[in-house]
Amino acid sequence: MCGIWALFGSDECLSVQCLSAMKIAHRGPDAFRFENVNGFTNCCFGFHRLAVVDQLYGMQPIRVKKFPYLWLCYNGEIYNFKQLQKQFGFDFQTLVDGEVILHLYNRGGIEQTASMLDGVFAFILLDTANRKVFLARDTYGVRPLFKVLTDDGFLGVCSEAKGLINLKHSTSLCSKVEPFLPGHYEVLDLKPSGKVASVELVKFHSCKDEPLHVACDTVEALPSAGFDLETVKSNIRILFENAVRKRLMAHRRIGCLLSGGLDSSLVAAVLLKLMKEINVNYPLQTFAIGMENSPDLLAARKVAAHIGSEHHEVILNTEEGIQAIEEVIFSLETYDITTIRASIGMYLVSKYIRKKTDSVVIFSGEGSDELTQGYIYFHKAPSPEEAAEESERLLKELYLFDVLRADRTTAAHGLELRVPFLDHRFTSYYLSLPAELRIPKNGIEKYLLRLSFEDSNLLPKEILWRPKEAFSDGIASVKKSWFSILQDYIDQQVDDLLLEKAAEKYPFNPPKTKESYYYRQIFEKHYSGRSSWLPHYWMPRWVKATDPSARTLKHYKSATQE
């Protein structure tokens, strides 16, 4: 996890512009480099490093003797770099996984490069010999990327939007700062003036398609094809374990977020099993957050005891949670209601990890709800086919919601996130299964995933079959939910009259509740006029919902309400 930043065709002094690069310093607390491009005095790269792989030669932009005309700035991890090196006979100059991007590009161009990378990535590749700039981002946008391109060819690229919004330019920068689309690469011509012109934007991978890099995966072919239940369950276990195994690549200590729900518990259990197999010489640290005796804390404690992790509990103080709201919105760059609610706990637990431990590479369960139909409203899906379509829609929009939350809350504290449920191979296989197999069954969401691990003894049965908690109830005390505490506080902060006139003040995505209005005010304070970054609020489908929380749905009944 790092922070990348680059400018092409800047009219302003680069020493002034580079102040914007410091807005993402939190993403790379270990080192910083600012480098001009030879022959293009108005083009430069900025890089904030979190050293996870090759501590000696990992600074960027990466340049190697074999390709002196190539410059690479990337944020991510390429899990199959050794397999690609072996398959194509690449001669590496460093131990950096990202070096493989230069060799792949030299061998087969940008299309093959993006398609063959098994990992999470956002990169800027400059080819001065052919006067081209390439941008690319992984399938689910696990690693963030934003860009701004003016009509006269000034290009700014950054891991987070906050590194672009204050750039200086001779013409107005009302050209939109916008997220770069996941699963795409863009080709731009580099003119002698340093300005650029976009040539094409290409989608190189869809979540349903089996990725091209399967040919050089550690699990080359599944032992059996077909959709009989035993075969499917076995394949799910094999591919999920493989997804966790490949993500063990790190020279820094590995930890795991553990809410006590199915997803994070499965990740933690498989992770610890594999760490033992390869004789990692330290215990796995797991981290849970919640109010005193909250359901999540109790469940996480049970899982940690079962798997034998070194468990840490962070007690959520309501005052601390409320005070963190503005910092969280600034980090997230969104005003989405459920994203902000769920981010507060994750932001505070990440803060604890950074201050109190030496774990840096953090595993988490993001992506499972979207992939395996874990949201409670999936019980209301009109048909298996519509549930399957909704699952794909959610996966395509992850970069706006859960993946955004997971990246920004951890990156704000210099941690690197790893999300095995969003492994390309695992997700494409799961989405290839018949729609009927993937829907909730017997009133239980993620039924197929749970069933696949039922005989593994990885988790206690009551955790494996634990119903989904709304996040606000999962971290709540038995006395009062975090949801209720937030509502009570915000009710005092927003006047009824303000809410009545919300649509006049904020015509795009107008706030409908005091909570939504409160978040929007804070967002506009830091990112005025940028409301289009969120195309729509996250809301459940097939139900008449006015709030995104699962706790407002009829199917949902929290332990605190029983």
Side-chain angles (χ1 to χ4, degrees), residues 256-269 303 363-365 421:
C256 189
L257 299 181
L258 179 60
S259 71
L262 174 68
D263 310 327
S264 63
S265 299
L266 265 182
V267 171
V303 174
F363 279 68
S364 189
F421 275 108

Side-chain angles (χ1 to χ4, degrees), residues 322-484:
I322 285 164
Q323 284 177 351
I325 292 172
E326 182 156 353
E327 296 167 44
V328 166
I329 292 172
F330 177 72
S331 294
L332 293 175
E333 303 172 335
T334 188
Y335 52 94
D336 181 63
I337 306 160
T338 191
T339 303
I340 294 166
R341 277 185 201 157
S343 293
I344 293 165
M346 198 164 180
Y347 182 87
L348 293 173
V349 77
S350 297
K351 187 177 183 179
Y352 170 89
I353 294 168
R354 186 69 193 177
K355 281 187 172 180
K356 305 285 188 182
T357 79
D358 58 347
S359 286
V360 173
V361 175
I362 306 298
F363 279 68
S364 189
E366 269 70 36
S368 176
D369 282 326
E370 291 76 9
L371 177 67
T372 67
Q373 302 184 15
Y375 292 116
I376 287 161
Y377 71 84
F378 272 98
H379 290 281
K380 307 290 186 185
S383 68
E385 291 69 30
E386 285 188 62
E389 285 174 19
E390 174 67 357
S391 181
E392 287 171 42
R393 183 189 71 84
L394 289 170
L395 286 165
K396 286 171 187 169
E397 292 191 344
L398 267 172
Y399 76 105
L400 297 167
F401 301 110
D402 273 26
V403 153
L404 180 148
R405 165 182 56 77
D407 173 80
R408 300 303 195 286
T409 54
T410 50
H413 302 290
L415 304 176
E416 177 180 294
L417 187 79
R418 299 209 173 163
V419 282
F421 275 108
L422 291 177
D423 181 78
H424 301 161
R425 183 98 183 266
F426 179 71
T427 54
S428 65
Y429 176 75
Y430 206 96
L431 293 172
S432 76
L433 299 174
E436 178 63 39
L437 265 184
R438 292 182 272 149
I439 58 171
K441 286 189 173 63
N442 305 331
I444 299 169
E445 64 284 341
K446 299 188 239 193
Y447 187 83
L448 177 61
L449 181 65
R450 297 175 198 271
L451 198 62
S452 299
F453 286 93
E454 188 172 39
D455 300 323
S456 66
N457 197 36
L458 281 168
L459 294 172
K461 286 282 191 287
E462 64 269 31
I463 298 296
L464 188 64
W465 294 96
R466 182 190 178 201
K468 184 171 178 60
E469 291 275 2
F471 181 82
S472 52
D473 282 340
I475 65 167
S477 72
V478 290
K479 295 172 187 172
K480 196 168 189 181
S481 81
W482 172 237
F483 177 89
S484 303

Side-chain angles (χ1 to χ4, degrees), residues 155-395:
L155 173 69
V157 188
C158 189
S159 295
E160 297 181 19
K162 56 181 68 71
L164 300 175
I165 57 175
N166 294 318
L167 289 174
K168 305 285 188 286
H169 192 62
S170 55
T171 61
S172 168
L173 260 189
C174 49
S175 307
K176 284 195 307 188
V177 173
E178 55 191 4
F180 189 82
L181 288 174
H184 286 70
Y185 68 80
E186 185 171 11
V187 182
L188 302 107
D189 281 335
L190 178 67
K191 299 172 182 176
S193 64
K195 307 279 189 187
V196 303
S198 181
V199 177
E200 59 176 345
L201 179 68
V202 178
K203 186 172 188 176
F204 67 85
H205 185 234
S206 294
C207 52
K208 283 179 75 173
D209 299 336
E210 186 174 68
L212 287 182
H213 55 67
V214 164
C216 50
D217 196 356
T218 45
V219 177
E220 287 186 16
L222 293 170
S224 52
F227 293 133
D228 69 275
L229 192 56
E230 290 309 310
T231 296
V232 167
K233 284 159 58 179
S234 171
N235 288 344
I236 285 171
R237 289 193 300 272
I238 288 166
L239 290 178
F240 184 68
E241 192 166 300
N242 185 46
V244 176
R245 182 183 290 109
K246 67 178 74 163
R247 284 164 175 76
L248 289 170
M249 180 182 91
H251 294 159
R252 301 288 287 272
R253 184 167 184 162
I254 290 170
C256 189
L257 299 181
L258 179 60
S259 71
L262 174 68
D263 310 327
S264 63
S265 299
L266 265 182
V267 171
V270 172
L271 176 58
L272 195 138
K273 171 180 174 268
L274 295 177
M275 286 171 70
K276 282 181 179 173
E277 284 179 14
I278 61 171
N279 298 314
V280 171
N281 62 0
Y282 55 79
L284 173 67
Q285 293 179 328
T286 49
F287 304 95
I289 186 166
M291 295 163 77
E292 201 80 57
N293 293 319
S294 61
D296 275 5
L297 281 190
L298 298 176
R301 204 177 292 165
K302 193 174 286 184
V303 174
H306 183 85
I307 66 176
S309 63
E310 179 193 303
H311 192 54
H312 296 242
E313 291 184 354
V314 180
I315 303 301
L316 177 66
N317 174 302
T318 56
E319 194 175 316
E320 187 183 13
I322 285 164
Q323 284 177 351
I325 292 172
E326 182 156 353
E327 296 167 44
V328 166
I329 292 172
F330 177 72
S331 294
L332 293 175
E333 303 172 335
T334 188
Y335 52 94
D336 181 63
I337 306 160
T338 191
T339 303
I340 294 166
R341 277 185 201 157
S343 293
I344 293 165
M346 198 164 180
Y347 182 87
L348 293 173
V349 77
S350 297
K351 187 177 183 179
Y352 170 89
I353 294 168
R354 186 69 193 177
K355 281 187 172 180
K356 305 285 188 182
T357 79
D358 58 347
S359 286
V360 173
V361 175
I362 306 298
F363 279 68
S364 189
E366 269 70 36
S368 176
D369 282 326
E370 291 76 9
L371 177 67
T372 67
Q373 302 184 15
Y375 292 116
I376 287 161
Y377 71 84
F378 272 98
H379 290 281
K380 307 290 186 185
S383 68
E385 291 69 30
E386 285 188 62
E389 285 174 19
E390 174 67 357
S391 181
E392 287 171 42
R393 183 189 71 84
L394 289 170
L395 286 165

